[in-house]
């Protein structure tokens, strides 16, 4: 059991949460490029020097918002996928991909922060890498389980040598490289499809976007070798 937090630690956690709440509101109003610690300090009625003790720069605050957004969409996808029977790999795929889209629709400004245009002058630090991979890891484990159960057909061709990062073996295990590549294409299709919807590219093109999304995800699954029933 962890030790109880001190009053100082609780106060710091509460104020950190207030700062992040204000930053999310500002993100919705002006976007990440114009995110301002001074404006946030004014909104919260605190000295800017005090706020800098929590977030020493705009980039530090952006990183916190980015990690938070990646963790939220990752947690939403993990929760949805974990609620499906482990043997139902098609159901897990459908639940995971739909959860990613639902989170994006419910959190458009946070989604735009992590999957929209890069913020000029900002360079994401290494501690954003693991949160950014949470959704991809869920999809990779579905592919791995489907392959282990024999539900995926063997690929007709292999992936070219050197195409994939060797570290992917830790996630995909014994899945053939061609299917790993297909899984990465499916991950790309997932966020490409969501982004086209989120950023208005389906206006006057796709009428039923939920049905179109399911169709795109079924095709991405088929590319991996997984069949989604209607």
């Amino acid at each position: 059991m962890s030790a109880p937090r001190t009053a100082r630690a609780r106060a710091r956690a509460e104020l950190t949460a207030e700062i992040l709440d204000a930053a999310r509101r500002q993100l919705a109003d002006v976007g990440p490029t114009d995110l301002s610690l001074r404006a946030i300090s004014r909104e919260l009625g605190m000295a800017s020097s005090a706020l800098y003790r929590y977030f020493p720069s705009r980039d530090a605050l952006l990183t916190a918002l980015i990690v938070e957004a990646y963790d939220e969409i990752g947690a939403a996808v993990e929760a949805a996928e974990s609620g499906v029977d482990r043997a139902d790999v098609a159901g897990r795929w459908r639940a995971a991909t739909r959860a990613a889209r639902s989170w994006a629709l419910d959190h458009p400004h946070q989604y735009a922060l992590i999957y929209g245009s890069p913020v000029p002058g900002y360079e994401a630090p290494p501690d954003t890498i693991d949160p950014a991979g949470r959704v991809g890891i869920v999809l990779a484990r579905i592919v791995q389980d489907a392959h282990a159960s024999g539900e995926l057909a063997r690929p007709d061709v292999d992936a070219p040598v050197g195409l994939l990062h060797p570290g992917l073996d830790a996630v995909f295990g014994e899945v053939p490289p061609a299917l790993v590549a297909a899984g990465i294409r499916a991950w790309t299709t997932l966020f490409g499809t969501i982004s086209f919807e989120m950023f208005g590219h389906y206006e006057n093109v796709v009428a039923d976007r939920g049905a179109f999304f399911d169709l795109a995800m079924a095709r991405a699954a088929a590319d991996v070798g997984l069949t989604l029933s209607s």
Side-chain angles (χ1 to χ4, degrees):
M1 179 181 297
S2 60
R5 290 190 298 177
T6 64
R8 182 187 296 272
R10 288 195 301 271
R12 183 176 182 85
E14 290 170 3
L15 187 50
T16 299
E18 289 182 23
I19 294 169
L20 290 172
D21 285 343
R24 284 192 295 272
R25 289 192 294 272
Q26 193 178 116
L27 194 66
D29 290 340
V30 301
T33 300
D34 293 323
L35 192 69
S36 166
L37 270 68
R38 291 186 180 277
I40 292 170
S41 65
R42 286 196 300 270
E43 178 182 339
L44 297 178
M46 60 188 297
S48 57
S49 58
L51 190 147
Y52 278 94
R53 290 200 291 269
Y54 291 80
F55 295 99
S57 66
R58 182 209 66 160
D59 285 4
L61 181 56
L62 270 175
T63 296
L65 291 170
I66 288 168
V67 169
E68 178 184 67
Y70 276 133
D71 277 336
E72 284 188 11
I73 191 172
V77 169
E78 290 162 0
E81 188 268 345
S82 68
V84 181
D85 186 280
R86 297 295 84 193
D88 182 8
V89 289
R92 289 164 58 192
W93 181 281
R94 184 180 293 108
T97 55
R98 285 178 174 174
R101 175 175 179 262
S102 293
W103 185 90
L105 292 174
D106 289 341
H107 304 83
H109 302 293
Q110 287 176 277
Y111 182 86
L113 176 64
I114 54 178
Y115 291 110
S117 299
V119 179
Y122 173 78
E123 184 174 347
D127 53 343
T128 62
I129 294 174
D130 286 346
R134 287 176 66 170
V135 174
I137 286 174
V138 172
L139 298 183
R141 287 175 179 166
I142 295 172
V143 172
Q144 184 179 31
D145 291 349
H147 176 69
S149 66
E151 295 187 45
L152 301 185
R154 291 191 60 83
D156 294 332
V157 295
D158 205 348
V161 175
L163 177 68
L164 303 173
H165 193 285
L168 289 173
D169 291 346
V171 178
F172 284 93
E174 299 301 318
V175 176
L179 291 182
V180 174
I184 295 169
R185 290 197 301 273
W187 182 29
T188 306
T189 299
L190 168 63
F191 286 110
T193 305
I194 293 173
S195 292
F196 259 53
E197 179 177 3
M198 294 295 296
F199 303 140
H201 297 295
Y202 286 151
E203 291 295 327
N204 301 319
V205 176
V206 177
D208 189 338
R209 294 170 190 174
F212 182 82
F213 176 82
D214 284 345
L215 179 65
M217 292 306 99
R219 185 63 191 87
D223 189 31
V224 181
L226 181 63
T227 300
L228 271 62
S229 59
S230 58

